[in-house]
Amino acid sequence: MSKNFRRVGAALFATLTATALVACSSEQAPSDAGSDGGDAAAATDTIVLGFSQVGAESGWRAANTKSIQDTLTAENGFELKFSDAQQKQENQIQAIRSYIQQGVDVIAFSPVVETGWDAVLQEAKAANIPVILTDRAVDSTDDTLYESFIGSDFVLEGQMAGEWAVEQYDGEGYKAVELQGTTGAAPMIDRQQGFADAIAGSDIEVIDSQTGNFTRTEGKQVMEGFLQKYDDIDLVFAHNDDMGLGAIEAIEAAGKVPGEDIKIITVDAVKDGMQALADGKINYIVECNPLLGPDLAEIAKKVIAGEEVPKRIVVKDEAFDQEAAKEALPDRQY
Ligand code: GYE
């Protein structure tokens, strides 16, 4: 592990905090740090962390990337190597292999899809490099391939969306369309499942579903197709805000009023989504918290220090209707 020497001053508090957090790791800060008159360096171990991000597909992802980059800083004891996989699994596998080759201390990634990770994770394990999953899960029977998975409960998010739809609209024979996330991604699979479970037994019917890949452009295109195909759509369930925002454009272009003629429920609660909710164009948003940087930093430090960490850390989410969005917007961080 590389050494990092820092100047005393503004960074000192962060340095000491970081040192305290990694106090069980191989090297301690020298006890005489600071005794050489102002330019003293507190030596501590820097954790080199390779992070493979899904892409830059959504407002949620931008907030997630910012949280990771803002937290895994030199002041906080990290050297972050960051790569963007542009929503392609092969790019992520390549990035992980390159981190293994470089001999980083920890690998973290948000798997673009759930399956197909065992081989590369075995390679990381063979190289003794711990892996932390953030945001999205892998579908593997071998849970020794990663230390911890930090992220929201996507089934619950889908359920919350579906339960609200039932509360509001059951009994009116609503026809719904679903704008799905990236095919095979954990949030796509789980949100669909949760929503379907929650509306089962109601008279809300999902008449069509298609992927919009979590992007605004594809959400708009898919919604245009649905509007051409069906003239009786009452409800859109979009697996994220961005696709919902794309759907709003398509609905308006078709001369209908989003939020009234066609109701919209989305997941994420990023600023643009919350604004559209406050403006009455979206009806309900289930939050998905993207600020995973602090948890990732804490777990990485513990793993390096050889401490036990939970296999699963569930991030808590809320939900907002139009009134709640108006109240929450001014203080929204992302
Ligand atoms: O909901 C969506 C993003 O994996 C939870 O990915 C994340 C999802 C998020 O593109 O906006």
Side-chain angles (χ1 to χ4, degrees):
M1 203 179 296
S2 58
K3 283 203 158 191
N4 190 25
F5 294 92
R6 295 189 192 84
R7 289 178 169 276
V8 283
L12 183 61
F13 175 72
T15 304
L16 291 176
T17 308
T19 306
L21 285 165
V22 293
C24 300
S25 72
S26 51
E27 286 177 314
Q28 305 275 322
S31 55
D32 64 348
S35 64
D36 64 354
D39 199 25
T44 183
D45 289 343
T46 293
I47 298 173
V48 180
L49 186 145
F51 189 88
S52 168
Q53 181 60 291
V54 167
E57 72 283 3
S58 64
W60 189 97
R61 190 64 55 196
N64 178 248
T65 292
K66 185 171 186 305
S67 169
I68 287 159
Q69 289 177 336
D70 285 355
T71 319
L72 302 189
T73 58
E75 294 72 42
N76 198 17
F78 287 93
E79 181 190 334
L80 174 65
K81 294 176 185 287
F82 184 90
S83 58
D84 173 339
Q86 302 183 320
Q87 298 231 65
K88 293 202 176 71
Q89 182 172 35
E90 60 267 32
N91 291 348
Q92 282 199 302
I93 291 175
Q94 218 171 39
I96 294 168
R97 290 217 165 103
S98 136
Y99 293 145
I100 296 171
Q101 241 162 31
Q102 293 170 52
V104 300
D105 299 316
V106 187
I107 292 171
F109 77 116
S110 172
V112 59
V113 291
E114 271 192 353
T115 55
W117 298 104
D118 283 44
V120 73
L121 293 182
Q122 292 286 1
E123 291 167 32
K125 193 178 175 185
N128 268 322
I129 301 176
V131 172
I132 299 169
L133 303 176
T134 66
D135 160 33
R136 297 184 182 177
V138 297
D139 183 2
S140 169
T141 48
D142 184 357
D143 76 355
T144 68
L145 293 177
Y146 60 90
E147 304 297 322
S148 188
F149 164 39
I150 306 161
S152 293
D153 180 340
F154 302 136
V155 176
L156 184 63
E157 290 172 351
Q159 253 166 21
M160 286 161 80
E163 276 162 16
W164 191 81
V166 170
E167 235 174 75
Q168 300 295 312
Y169 309 126
D170 190 23
E172 298 181 44
Y174 265 29
K175 303 224 178 308
V177 291
E178 190 164 358
L179 299 174
Q180 299 185 336
T182 304
T183 307
M188 175 261 144
I189 297 168
D190 293 352
R191 288 173 187 165
Q192 176 185 35
Q193 177 70 54
F195 188 79
D197 289 350
I199 64 165
S202 79
D203 71 357
I204 300 170
E205 184 197 353
V206 177
I207 55 168
D208 213 336
S209 310
Q210 206 176 306
T211 181
N213 232 347
F214 283 128
T215 69
R216 206 175 286 206
T217 318
E218 283 178 72
K220 182 180 177 195
Q221 283 164 2
V222 172
M223 192 64 205
E224 282 166 357
F226 284 157
L227 286 164
Q228 274 160 19
K229 209 160 145 194
Y230 311 101
D231 56 13
D232 55 351
I233 299 169
D234 301 299
L235 174 67
V236 175
F237 172 46
H239 288 188
N240 78 344
D241 288 350
D242 282 81
M243 293 189 295
L245 292 163
I248 289 173
E249 291 175 32
I251 292 167
E252 284 175 339
K256 296 194 174 183
V257 182
E260 287 183 21
D261 298 335
I262 299 182
K263 311 290 196 287
I264 304 178
I265 301 174
T266 66
V267 185
D268 274 357
V270 293
K271 269 231 172 81
D272 289 356
M274 290 289 272
Q275 188 62 57
L277 181 60
D279 293 345
K281 296 183 176 195
I282 293 180
N283 301 81
Y284 195 62
I285 303 186
V286 178
E287 180 187 50
C288 182
N289 190 338
L291 306 179
L292 305 182
D295 276 348
L296 173 58
E298 191 190 326
I299 293 300
K301 283 176 177 172
K302 285 189 173 159
V303 166
I304 292 300
E307 290 173 34
E308 281 281 316
V309 295
K311 260 283 150 175
R312 176 77 171 105
I313 296 172
V314 183
V315 177
K316 293 265 174 300
D317 300 312
E318 304 173 50
F320 301 89
D321 61 15
Q322 293 172 342
E323 286 314 307
K326 283 179 206 157
E327 266 172 50
L329 255 178
D331 308 319
R332 208 69 190 149
Q333 280 186 64
Y334 50 87

